[in-house]
């Protein structure tokens, strides 16, 4: 059976990036796995990626946070919701829920999901580029995305940029 997401899970597992840039440290629930895929991709997930947080810094062009949200919202098949303000490790960015009519594939990085809704966050990086954070659940997305978001808000409160 798939794992159960507990939005109130204790954040007992520290992790500090050594490869991904921009570097950071955070705390995750004990059952979560943290993986640096390369200098541009970090993932933390529960189960077999049943619940996932992905940091993507593949798109290395200068743009504002609003431009980044617009670029990602224009992904073929995406239906963007209302843009909201977010703070991650003290960096002020924006988030939008993207729903869809099928699979979403983001051209910049190749990141893809079988279907939405997913949460997409765009954060500023000091070099003038932006960082994308994807929050993805595998099943029952309408119910699970808000639960994942509640946990991620707590995880991001522990995030410190290096």
């Amino acid at each position: 059976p798939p794992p159960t997401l507990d939005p109130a899970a204790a954040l007992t597992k520290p992790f500090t990036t050594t490869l991904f840039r921009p570097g950071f440290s955070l705390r995750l629930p004990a059952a979560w796995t943290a993986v640096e895929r390369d200098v541009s991709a970090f993932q933390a997930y529960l189960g077999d990626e049943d619940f996932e947080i992905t940091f993507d810094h593949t798109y290395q062009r200068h743009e504002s946070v609003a431009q980044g949200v617009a670029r990602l919202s224009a992904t073929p098949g995406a239906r963007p919701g209302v843009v909201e303000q977010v703070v991650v490790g003290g960096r002020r960015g924006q988030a939008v829920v993207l729903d869809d009519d099928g699979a979403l594939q983001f051209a910049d990085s190749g990141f893809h999901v079988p279907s939405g809704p997913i949460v997409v966050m765009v954060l500023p990086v000091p070099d003038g580029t932006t960082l994308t954070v994807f929050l993805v659940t595998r099943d029952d997305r309408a119910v699970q995305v808000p639960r994942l978001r509640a946990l991620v808000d707590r995880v991001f409160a522990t995030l410190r940029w290096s």
Side-chain angles (χ1 to χ4, degrees):
T4 301
L5 177 70
D6 179 3
L11 305 179
T12 58
K13 185 177 193 174
F15 186 83
T16 300
T17 60
T18 58
L19 179 62
F20 179 82
R21 294 294 173 251
F24 61 85
S25 63
L26 51 64
R27 299 184 72 78
L28 296 163
W32 283 63
T33 301
V35 179
E36 293 179 89
R37 302 288 183 199
D38 57 40
V39 297
S40 299
F42 165 82
Q43 288 183 304
Y45 56 88
L46 177 63
D48 184 22
E49 298 184 13
D50 295 282
F51 301 94
E52 176 183 327
I53 306 165
T54 297
F55 284 66
D56 182 347
H57 196 210
T58 305
Y59 190 77
Q60 300 260 339
R61 296 195 189 131
H62 287 68
E63 66 180 356
S64 69
V65 168
Q67 289 169 324
V69 169
R71 172 178 50 82
L72 293 161
S73 294
T75 297
R79 291 191 317 267
V82 175
V83 175
E84 64 181 277
Q85 303 302 307
V86 293
V87 177
V88 178
R91 292 189 183 165
R92 295 187 180 282
Q94 295 180 342
V96 63
V97 174
L98 299 181
D99 212 333
D100 59 67
D101 297 317
L104 288 175
Q105 179 151 355
F106 298 89
D108 309 329
S109 63
F111 185 82
H112 62 281
V113 293
S115 66
I118 67 168
V119 177
V120 178
M121 298 179 178
V122 178
L123 305 171
V125 177
D127 67 3
T129 62
T130 58
L131 171 70
T132 305
V133 180
F134 297 100
L135 307 182
V136 181
T137 68
R138 180 171 289 174
D139 295 313
D140 197 12
R141 289 174 182 86
V143 171
Q144 296 296 354
V145 166
R147 291 172 50 82
L148 177 59
R149 180 71 187 269
L151 174 65
V152 167
D153 286 347
R154 294 180 47 244
V155 169
F156 285 174
T158 72
L159 190 142
R160 300 295 175 260
W161 301 101
S162 316

